[in-house]
Amino acid sequence: MRSRKTNIFFGIDWVLILFYFMLVFFGWINIYSATITEEQFNIINFSTEYGKQLIWIGLSLPIILLILLFDAKFYEKYASLIYLICLISLAGLFVFGKNINGATSWYNFGSFGLQPSEFAKAATALAIAKLVSDKQFNLKKLNTQLQAFLILFFPAILITLQPDPGSALVYTAFIFVLYREGLPFYYITIGFITLILFVITLYFGFTYTLIGSLLLFIIILLYFIFYRKKALKKGWIKILGIYFVAAFFIFSVDLVFNHVFEQRHRDRFNILLGKTTDITNIGYNTNQSVTTIASGGLTGRGFLEGERTQGNFVPEQQTDYIFTIVGEEWGFLGTTTVILIFTLFLLRIIQIAERQKSKFSRVYGYSIAAIFFTHFTINIGMVLGLLPTIGIPLPFFSYGGSALWGFTILLFLLIRLDANRSYEW
């Protein structure tokens, strides 16, 4: 038993690690294709983006070893402290952070930068797992629900204020994890209704949506008056409260959309909803993205042969829009293969989460499955023009050291927790 504990590689899931290296390698290949020039074909230039990404991949290895070196109980014991440190790092951005492209999301150390929001996801997953695994914790009770929501609220609001709403959106994924652990289903229902109200308000505007909701409220009220008088006597306060909450939400959507969102955010939503057509300005990225993917056909144009990729038709093609390179150079078969690998990767994470004997490890496993799924779905949907551009990276593909390290930490914490079940739990 002692020799097993001293062997950091004992019990680790090699299948998941294989998926990890496959995704990282294929991601780097596409970053290489996006940033290489004809003069650099025969050399590796570490000052370029593909060269820097290669350095970050190399530096991921000691991070992995460090994660595996600590006992799994360490992460459970100090989950709250890790979460607190990440909150402090997020708050510190407003004092020491550097503003890049309108967002104060980075700490700069010379030519090197770190984005703490990428690491906050792992810290939040640990904190949620720590809270939910407490024996006294019961998600059926309102006070415990509030505790869980507060853990999600603090990093999400700090990230939103940077402003980086795309990264903050990822925290909604934890709702499904909490539902898996006992959160009442009506929270999911409220979430979908809220989303529908959000879209309707953006499309029809505050006035028409409010009038429409008032008419619906009157119809529901008449139904109760004529057919459910007893229920109305007992629940009229709830019915009235629901309407006022909905009306307030409609008003807040209108307020945030018109006075908090920047014009570029409003334009992106309007394009997605079909209220505006714009393929030369705000809609340029999405239009070029869809065109570039379509140009790949069935088998693609070949590695380094993508005319639109090499011509830099798609802005930010090495970061948020990297999937366009897969589409053009590797075609439908390539994009299908990437989606299949990601699907198998997610299914493996869920399988590992299910086999955990520790509730802490299981909740953490489902948390990272939800995070990876959200990143993957939103990024692909954004690139295909099905969702608005909100700046969210594709895991292990998009260029960036912070994102790569953040996803690596997320994954290998689970691998370490899973390895521990073999001899301790």
Side-chain angles (χ1 to χ4, degrees), residues 27-44:
W28 182 80
I29 286 294
N30 286 278
I31 292 172
Y32 178 85
S33 180
T35 57
I36 193 70
T37 62
E38 292 183 7
E39 295 78 15
Q40 298 168 341
F41 278 159
N42 298 320
I43 60 172
I44 296 292

Side-chain angles (χ1 to χ4, degrees), residues 249-303:
F249 177 75
I250 293 168
F251 171 74
S252 66
V253 168
D254 183 74
L255 182 69
V256 170
F257 186 74
N258 289 303
H259 300 285
V260 177
F261 279 11
E262 296 178 11
Q263 186 60 46
R264 57 194 176 95
H265 296 137
R266 292 194 288 270
D267 290 339
R268 286 167 182 169
F269 275 105
N270 287 332
I271 289 169
L272 182 69
L273 294 172
K275 296 179 69 176
T276 345
T277 303
D278 177 5
I279 62 172
T280 59
N281 189 20
I282 296 296
Y284 177 81
N285 287 23
T286 301
N287 179 64
Q288 292 298 325
S289 171
V290 173
T291 305
T292 300
I293 291 175
S295 69
L298 178 64
T299 58
R301 295 179 177 273
F303 180 53

Side-chain angles (χ1 to χ4, degrees), residues 10-28:
F10 174 77
I12 66 175
D13 192 88
W14 292 104
V15 174
L16 197 54
I17 290 176
L18 176 62
F19 282 133
Y20 167 77
F21 282 109
M22 287 172 65
L23 290 170
V24 169
F25 174 74
F26 198 29
W28 182 80

Side-chain angles (χ1 to χ4, degrees), residues 108-155:
N108 264 39
F109 307 94
S111 60
F112 180 74
L114 277 179
Q115 188 176 9
S117 61
E118 295 295 345
F119 306 101
K121 287 174 279 195
T124 305
L126 287 173
I128 284 290
K130 174 73 172 178
L131 179 69
V132 175
S133 61
D134 190 297
K135 291 181 180 179
Q136 306 301 318
F137 189 82
N138 183 358
L139 273 169
K140 300 296 183 183
K141 297 180 179 179
L142 181 60
N143 64 323
T144 52
Q145 293 169 9
L146 290 175
Q147 290 177 44
F149 292 147
L150 282 174
I151 287 176
L152 303 179
F153 173 80
F154 286 121

